[in-house]
Amino acid sequence: MTRVWLIALTAAFLSVSTGAEARKVALVIGNSDYANTSRLANPVNDIKIIAASAKQAGFDDVTIAADLSVNDFQKAMRDFRAKADGADVAMVYFAGHGIEAQGKNWLIPTDAQLKSDLDLPYEAINLDRLMESVSGAQVRMVVLDSCRNNPFGRSWRSGTRAVVNGLAGVEADDVLVIFAAAPGQTAADGTAGNSPFATSLAKRLPQPDVPVQLLGGLIRDDVLAATGGSQRPFVSASITGTPVYLVPRATPTAPAASGDRSGLEELLWKGAMAENNVRGFSAYLAEFPAGKFAGQAGDNINRLLKNPGATAVPVTMAAVEDPAPATRPSARRFTLSNVRVECVKLTGRLGLGLPDQLFLRFNTGQRFPEGKSDIYSIKKGESWAVNQSFEFDQPVSLQLREFDDIGGSDNIGTIDIGEAPGTFTRTLDGDASDYRVTYTLTVA
């Protein structure tokens, strides 16, 4: 039976503010009791610990929704969108079945039958709709513990564009998205009544002195350790570089560990460089008045005050002298090169056999070609040799995207580049196209 309720006021939780006063709001959804596919044991348990940790983290309004049909799912999102409008922080957590099909991610209500992929828009929830429910908040978080196998796709007609395992990575502006597993991988349910991912999220969410920008990395480390490296959570972040703390910061008498401070400094500097304004550089100086980039931050502030249209001079961590190089681990560099995209089958835009218009997009926000008006036009049997290498300081995912006919773009497929060096070939078959992508990854 569908159950939607607000967490009751008990001595275990802080008092809930009224809707007008609530500044941090959360919607916690767990679908376990599926009518037409396998039941999931953990979501009904996971939402309890996530809701409790959200309350502990200072969320004023936490809504638990369990075993939602498609109509109830839509209503829960619509109601939460009103709560999230104007909030400081809005977070949605979903545990249940989720699949990638037609180049999109779908969350599955408990009454879905999905006899065909054509039923998806009517019986499933497009992830984009879920992200819209947090769009009115200043800080937006979407957490997906739904990277399981596709329980419906095996019965669909031949040629259906669906993947068997996991979800696809997403690129969303101004949203922190945390997946329980990397694109194309599945998440473990665990053996202790809660999934390893939910256990870590419940632990980290109320932790003091942790910016939300570092939350995904901490969860990733926890889950990797808990699963012996078999499950790696995935983070897609495109939010402000200014640290946002869910829990009030620790007192100055109890400073964070030096390793955490080093990571925070790099995060804050990258955020300041991305914002390229006085506020961003001032935020860095307020946190690290004697930091490695303090001199450059001051220079950039002066430059911007004198000429508001000026561009900050970029400085990377490697460009700053390390006062104790022997104590710092060497950063790894991932270089993606020799990317070649071969068209096996075209989308066939408008049924006229028109060429596909392609571009690459990484979960870091980088795209190639860089300009939104720049594309690569390709026909069946042709190849696109990408004449550029790409460097990253962490493992990334890559999307091959095609412009559609209404001004947007569709994801043909996502590749989790991973950490192992070598030359690889991947097949992508989303949006009615077939492509082979070959690339070389070197790690230094």
Side-chain angles (χ1 to χ4, degrees):
M1 181 180 70
T2 299
R3 304 185 300 276
V4 182
W5 67 93
L6 288 178
I7 290 182
L9 300 179
T10 69
F13 300 137
L14 299 176
S15 297
V16 178
S17 304
T18 66
E21 296 171 340
R23 306 312 303 154
K24 293 198 286 272
V25 297
L27 172 61
V28 182
I29 302 173
N31 280 357
S32 289
D33 195 10
Y34 282 89
N36 300 296
T37 188
S38 57
R39 186 183 187 280
L40 299 174
N42 283 351
V44 67
N45 300 323
D46 292 338
I47 58 176
K48 295 176 182 177
I49 64 170
I50 299 304
S53 69
K55 292 299 299 179
Q56 188 179 355
F59 279 79
D60 309 285
D61 188 310
V62 179
T63 301
I64 295 181
D67 292 333
L68 297 183
S69 66
V70 63
N71 290 335
D72 289 323
F73 208 133
Q74 292 171 346
K75 183 179 184 303
M77 291 191 300
R78 185 166 56 247
D79 292 345
F80 185 70
R81 183 179 61 193
K83 291 183 179 182
D85 190 20
D88 293 332
V89 180
M91 179 185 76
V92 176
Y93 169 86
F94 174 77
H97 279 302
I99 64 176
E100 177 194 353
Q102 300 179 345
K104 299 178 176 63
N105 289 320
W106 305 86
L107 309 181
I108 311 303
T110 55
D111 59 345
Q113 299 185 46
L114 296 178
K115 296 179 179 179
S116 164
D117 66 317
L118 300 178
D119 295 328
L120 282 164
Y122 307 99
E123 299 182 14
I125 304 297
N126 190 323
L127 179 58
D128 291 342
R129 302 288 81 76
L130 186 69
M131 289 200 284
E132 285 176 0
S133 69
V134 300
S135 61
Q138 295 184 36
V139 177
R140 308 155 191 173
M141 303 169 59
V142 174
V143 185
L144 300 171
D145 196 356
S146 53
C147 308
R148 295 176 169 86
N149 65 306
N150 181 347
F152 298 97
R154 292 183 180 87
S155 64
W156 291 347
R157 58 184 171 79
S158 176
T160 292
R161 302 176 300 281
V163 299
V164 174
N165 294 324
L167 297 175
V170 298
E171 306 303 329
D173 292 336
D174 301 320
V175 183
L176 169 65
V177 186
I178 305 178
F179 293 87
Q185 297 181 1
T186 54
D189 281 327
T191 58
N194 294 110
S195 74
F197 180 79
T199 300
S200 174
L201 176 63
K203 169 188 172 183
R204 296 296 186 178
L205 202 60
Q207 182 176 333
D209 209 23
V210 173
V212 295
Q213 292 92 334
L214 296 183
L215 183 64
L218 294 173
I219 294 172
R220 180 189 60 217
D221 293 344
D222 289 344
V223 174
L224 280 170
T227 63
S230 63
Q231 179 180 335
R232 179 167 62 87
F234 182 77
V235 181
S236 175
S238 176
I239 57 177
T240 175
T242 302
V244 177
Y245 297 91
L246 295 178
V247 180
R249 303 202 52 201
T251 62
T253 57
S258 59
D260 293 339
R261 295 290 292 173
S262 176
L264 176 60
E265 180 175 10
E266 182 173 359
L267 171 74
L268 195 52
W269 177 251
K270 288 181 178 179
M273 290 299 300
E275 290 188 33
N276 190 31
N277 56 32
V278 172
R279 182 188 66 176
F281 293 115
S282 297
Y284 169 82
L285 286 176
E287 188 73 28
F288 297 97
K292 295 179 180 181
F293 309 105
Q296 187 64 39
D299 291 344
N300 286 337
I301 289 174
N302 292 333
R303 184 180 296 107
L304 289 166
L305 289 175
K306 292 178 181 178
N307 179 10
T311 300
V313 177
V315 176
T316 65
M317 292 294 285
V320 180
E321 182 180 357
D322 193 327
T327 64
R328 289 176 55 86
S330 58
R332 290 192 297 171
R333 299 295 297 176
F334 298 86
T335 302
L336 183 67
S337 61
N338 303 324
V339 179
R340 178 178 291 274
V341 180
E342 179 184 356
C343 179
V344 179
K345 175 185 174 184
L346 276 175
T347 300
R349 294 165 51 235
L350 297 177
L352 302 176
L354 299 175
D356 279 351
Q357 313 294 324
L358 304 179
F359 65 96
L360 307 178
R361 188 163 70 183
F362 298 91
N363 65 302
T364 59
Q366 182 178 354
R367 57 173 286 158
F368 183 84
E370 293 182 1
K372 291 188 176 180
S373 61
D374 296 327
I375 53 177
Y376 188 87
S377 181
I378 192 170
K379 297 180 180 179
K380 181 179 178 181
E382 294 181 342
S383 295
W384 173 22
V386 179
N387 59 351
Q388 179 170 320
S389 297
F390 308 90
E391 290 194 352
F392 307 94
D393 58 6
Q394 61 181 340
V396 298
S397 70
L398 164 68
Q399 287 186 347
L400 178 65
R401 300 191 69 90
E402 183 241 342
F403 282 99
D404 60 28
D405 303 301
I406 57 175
S409 63
D410 297 314
N411 183 23
I412 295 175
T414 301
I415 300 172
D416 180 25
I417 301 300
E419 304 180 44
T423 298
F424 307 90
T425 298
R426 301 286 187 261
T427 299
L428 306 177
D429 59 1
D431 199 42
S433 297
D434 285 313
Y435 281 88
R436 278 194 293 269
V437 180
T438 301
Y439 60 90
T440 299
L441 180 67
T442 55
V443 182

